[in-house]
């Protein structure tokens, strides 16, 4: 089993910054990737950023240049640095990990509570 715990969400004004954290534990053998997703009210969950193999990084067009995905030295805590936040970034943010060639959380598995980010003045 793998445990993923997101934190760091908050209410922030437009233009502000936040850093989200994802603490991963459990059976993390062959961890090959990590991703951040978000889901706004009434919308489908979308990919925000992902890194696979430690080098291949992908960002949604809407966050390019503003968000950065990174990890700590242990590789078990991942971050999403979010700058120049906009109201449209308001959503619940979730993390996911890739074990081998398989993403742990899928469309048919629970995603937990995530962490709420609200961008509003």
């Amino acid at each position: 089993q793998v445990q993923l715990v997101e934190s760091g969400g908050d209410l922030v004004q437009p233009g502000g910054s936040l850093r989200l954290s994802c603490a991963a534990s459990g059976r993390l053998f062959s961890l090959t990737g990590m991703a951040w997703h978000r889901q706004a009210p009434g919308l489908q969950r979308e990919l925000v950023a992902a890194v696979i193999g430690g080098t291949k990084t992908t960002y949604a067009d809407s966050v390019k240049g503003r968000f950065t995905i990174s990890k700590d030295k242990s590789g078990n805590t991942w971050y999403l640095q979010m700058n120049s936040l906009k109201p449209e970034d308001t959503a619940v943010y979730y993390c996911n990990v890739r074990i081998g060639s398989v993403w742990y959380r899928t469309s048919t598995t629970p995603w937990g509570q995530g962490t709420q980010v609200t961008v509003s003045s």
Side-chain angles (χ1 to χ4, degrees):
Q1 292 292 330
V2 172
Q3 293 78 43
L4 301 173
V5 180
E6 303 92 343
S7 62
D10 205 347
L11 170 64
V12 62
Q13 292 187 343
S17 297
L18 279 177
R19 189 177 78 162
L20 305 184
S21 298
C22 173
S25 61
R27 299 176 66 86
L28 297 174
F29 308 117
S30 300
L31 181 65
T32 58
M34 190 278 173
W36 284 96
H37 297 252
R38 68 185 180 187
Q39 187 168 19
L43 299 179
Q44 289 190 337
R45 188 167 50 238
E46 63 173 349
L47 177 67
V48 175
V51 58
I52 297 175
T55 56
K56 182 179 179 181
T57 304
T58 300
Y59 293 96
D61 288 343
S62 59
V63 307
K64 282 181 181 177
R66 300 188 298 121
F67 290 12
T68 303
I69 187 171
S70 65
K71 63 179 181 179
D72 70 354
K73 290 182 178 179
S74 73
N76 291 343
T77 299
W78 293 77
Y79 306 102
L80 184 67
Q81 178 66 43
M82 306 186 296
N83 299 327
S84 302
L85 283 162
K86 304 175 181 180
E88 50 264 43
D89 294 319
T90 296
V92 178
Y93 285 70
Y94 304 89
C95 61
N96 197 6
V97 292
R98 191 168 181 258
I99 309 297
S101 61
V102 179
W103 289 98
Y104 180 70
R105 287 171 166 170
T106 70
S107 60
T108 60
T109 61
W111 281 63
Q113 295 185 340
T115 187
Q116 176 71 49
V117 172
T118 302
V119 185
S120 175
S121 55

